[in-house]
Amino acid sequence: MFCLTTAIYYEAASEPDAGQRAVAQVILNRVRHPAFPASVCGVVYQGPHSGGAPTACQFSFACDGATAHAPARFAWVRAERNAAMALAGYVYTPVGLATHYHTYAVTPPWSRSLVMTAVVGAHFFHRWRDYWGTVAAFNQHYLGHEPVPGGATGAAFAVLSTTALPDSAGGTRGDSGPADTMSATVPTSAVTRASTPIEADRLPPAPEILDKWKDTGGVR
């Protein structure tokens, strides 16, 4: 659950619950799609932490140094709650089969070749066209365990990972993704130590999925 919570926090800490659940659903949709890694941590840290180029992150927070800022306690707990719901089988249906999203602030070139499925909070959500964006294409089996992302850095990750390893438990897949992959979570006390009253009011921005690797796996 650590990897999904981290992604929700650094991608959508300032979003309402619906926005956070939408981001979580995109990640779990990717886990089920053969164009992406078959684990939550694999999807979240796809790129440099999985052997890719140093700047080839799927989610910008994994490359832009955002994790150097320790998470605000209450915002982290809310992100963790929404991550737990998603992993327990909750499906955020408004985004459908979306595998991509971006903020209002940008119009990435790849968005023009996709089909918009929803607008939730500050994000536009998209799915692939044709077969690659149909239910039949989401046939990838869950890896069965969550690899610890190699080379993941940042003060927040270092502090939090001392009390919990990212999604280390195995599990079986539910309708929304690896629904039963529930593992060690970050105790509230650990987040408290990592935060200060000032940091509690300094939430991270909601970055977009980067243009890099937009065609991962190719459109078949």
Side-chain angles (χ1 to χ4, degrees):
M1 189 161 69
F2 184 92
C3 286
L4 187 57
T5 301
T6 301
I8 292 173
Y9 179 85
Y10 287 104
E11 290 286 295
S14 59
E15 290 289 289
D17 284 341
Q20 294 196 355
R21 292 166 188 169
V23 168
Q25 191 62 53
V26 165
I27 292 170
L28 296 186
N29 284 350
R30 286 191 170 203
V31 173
R32 298 189 67 176
H33 201 287
F36 303 100
S39 67
V40 175
C41 290
V43 165
V44 170
Y45 290 100
Q46 184 179 9
H49 307 305
S50 58
T55 58
C57 287
Q58 284 288 286
F59 297 94
S60 55
F61 81 87
C63 278
D64 66 6
T67 55
H69 304 284
R73 173 187 173 186
F74 294 110
W76 177 272
V77 170
R78 186 166 72 94
E80 186 178 53
R81 182 178 67 247
N82 284 318
M85 288 179 61
L87 292 172
Y90 176 85
V91 179
Y92 189 74
T93 57
V95 300
L97 300 176
T99 49
H100 298 70
Y101 65 83
H102 62 86
T103 68
Y104 283 113
V106 297
T107 304
W110 51 258
S111 65
R112 300 185 182 92
S113 65
L114 304 179
V115 178
M116 185 182 296
T117 62
V119 179
V120 184
H123 292 103
F124 293 99
F125 293 82
H126 305 266
R127 65 169 174 81
W128 269 310
R129 295 181 185 275
D130 304 321
Y131 173 78
W132 218 227
T134 66
V135 172
F138 289 75
N139 57 14
Q140 178 167 253
H141 294 292
Y142 175 55
L143 182 62
H145 67 278
E146 291 291 337
V148 176
T153 58
F157 190 96
V159 170
L160 295 174
S161 63
T162 61
T163 56
L165 288 177
D167 302 327
S168 58
T172 57
R173 181 190 304 281
D175 289 339
S176 64
D180 298 319
T181 308
M182 302 294 290
S183 63
T185 60
V186 180
T188 300
S189 59
V191 182
T192 302
R193 289 195 300 271
S195 305
T196 66
I198 295 176
E199 288 169 339
D201 296 325
R202 191 187 303 140
L203 298 180
E208 74 281 1
I209 291 179
L210 299 181
D211 285 354
K212 298 181 179 71
W213 288 29
K214 66 183 177 65
D215 294 322
T216 300
V219 179
R220 300 177 185 173

